[in-house]
Amino acid sequence: MAACVDKWNPAYSCHRISRSIYRFMPDCTITAPTGAAVNGSGGSCNGGDQVWEELYGEAQADAEDEPLLGMLYYELVLSHPSLEAALAAHLSAKLCIQGALPQDALRDILVGALAAHPEAIRHTRADLLAARDRDPACAKMVHCFLYYKGFLALQAHRAAHALWSEGRRPPALLLQSRASEVFGVDIHPGARIGGGILLDHATGIVIGETAVIGDDVSILHGVTLGGTGKVCGDRHPKVGDGVLIGAGASVLGNVRIGAGAKIGAGAVVLRDVECGTTAVGNPAKPIGKKAAPSLRPEEQPGVTMEQRWSDYVI
């Protein structure tokens, strides 16, 4: 069985897994194992950001194929020098409040938050790759960037969490509220979320203040990571790397979901779930008949999106 290692440290370097493990360095270059293929050329954020280069090229191709969308693609992608700038402009257009919170003012807040917390934008790159690699409906990263509300809600949270960590609670709560209204996803700005996250469909996802989510996790619509009763303090779930949480599942209280675990659709989890375990039902219980095998990182449920019943139990 794979070692069950908790990585609740929010500074843990984000990475994406798809056949191989990729890590984003501080300058946004991608390092990969020997022999692994990486799209694009190497370099810094300004000159060789592989994710931005690929996304930008996809936008150019779409604009050429669909001239009526040319202005949209220009305003949201092609007119910007970097992923950070494009993301801040896109989110500010979505979340601004006419007559109360101008788009330019909100864009300045987002740009400042992302600039002060470069790990947030590294996580963004990993999130884009996760959507492209795991979601069969996502043919291009630019489609995720422009149209996928789960991705956009998560990026709004990343900016809100950056503000929250600086003690700037009013603008952090503003971003949470607007993202909840616009995208239908409610993530408290205090929640700590790793990189390579896929919020698939995303409608109705709720994540509480003290929740912690590791890397390479996939969460489907209608999932709640919540507390119980009026308990204060550390009261929300801790989700390990490579976990898959099915549609409509609720994980309640300060429980731990071990790395590589799978939570079935509609499950209600009230107790810890061991690494590599499949848990289903209300209340959720582990299922299976034999010991879970050792899984490589790229075989974890959060990466494969395999939702069928597993015959393994710890």
Side-chain angles (χ1 to χ4, degrees):
M1 182 184 71
C4 187
V5 179
D6 291 332
K7 295 177 180 175
W8 311 125
N9 185 348
Y12 182 73
S13 175
C14 81
H15 61 281
R16 70 109 164 175
I17 299 174
S18 178
R19 305 303 179 193
S20 300
I21 297 175
Y22 295 84
R23 297 186 183 277
F24 287 87
M25 306 306 289
D27 65 353
C28 297
T29 56
I30 303 176
T31 62
T34 302
V38 180
N39 292 330
S41 58
S44 67
C45 287
N46 294 328
D49 177 357
Q50 293 102 321
V51 172
W52 174 241
E53 288 176 355
E54 184 174 337
L55 189 151
Y56 194 94
E58 292 169 348
Q60 288 179 316
D62 276 5
E64 292 173 0
D65 291 341
E66 297 289 345
L68 291 176
L69 298 180
M71 182 59 71
L72 173 70
Y73 277 85
Y74 178 79
E75 290 293 334
L76 297 181
V77 179
L78 299 176
S79 63
H80 299 287
S82 66
L83 179 60
E84 295 89 329
L87 180 61
H90 190 17
L91 286 175
S92 63
K94 289 280 190 182
L95 303 178
C96 65
I97 304 173
Q98 187 174 3
L101 181 62
Q103 181 178 342
D104 289 348
L106 182 54
R107 183 178 64 243
D108 290 344
I109 291 174
L110 292 165
V111 167
L114 296 175
H117 296 267
E119 72 282 358
I121 203 67
R122 293 200 298 272
H123 284 145
T124 297
R125 288 171 170 83
D127 298 339
L128 284 166
L129 289 166
R132 184 197 66 185
D133 292 346
R134 296 179 212 162
D135 185 352
C138 183
K140 299 180 179 181
M141 284 191 291
V142 72
H143 296 166
C144 174
F145 178 84
L146 291 176
Y147 308 128
Y148 284 29
K149 63 184 177 183
F151 169 79
L152 293 171
L154 181 56
Q155 306 324 307
H157 165 74
R158 296 201 187 284
H161 181 71
L163 294 167
W164 186 267
S165 66
E166 296 174 356
R168 300 177 62 189
R169 297 197 169 195
L173 292 170
L174 170 66
L175 285 177
Q176 175 198 6
S177 175
R178 290 297 294 148
S180 178
E181 293 170 2
V182 173
F183 302 125
V185 177
D186 192 357
I187 309 176
H188 192 283
R192 292 183 287 159
I193 302 179
I197 307 300
L198 175 62
L199 303 184
D200 198 7
H201 300 289
T203 301
I205 289 176
V206 177
I207 300 175
E209 178 184 7
T210 60
V212 180
I213 299 174
D215 295 328
D216 305 303
V217 172
S218 293
I219 299 175
L220 277 78
H221 50 284
V223 166
T224 297
L225 304 181
T228 58
K230 296 183 178 180
V231 175
C232 296
D234 192 359
R235 60 195 184 280
H236 295 105
K238 311 297 180 285
V239 179
D241 294 348
V243 169
L244 173 62
I245 305 181
S250 295
V251 186
L252 304 177
N254 188 13
V255 299
R256 292 192 173 232
I257 309 301
K262 187 187 303 183
I263 307 301
V268 178
V269 180
L270 303 174
R271 297 181 180 179
D272 291 356
V273 176
E274 297 292 334
C275 295
T277 300
T278 297
V280 300
N282 180 7
K285 297 179 181 179
I287 59 174
K289 302 176 181 178
K290 49 189 176 183
S294 178
L295 294 177
R296 295 190 299 271
E298 65 270 22
E299 296 174 332
Q300 298 282 24
V303 175
T304 65
M305 297 293 290
E306 176 54 69
Q307 298 185 60
R308 289 176 296 183
W309 172 44
S310 170
D311 197 33
Y312 302 113
V313 67
I314 299 298

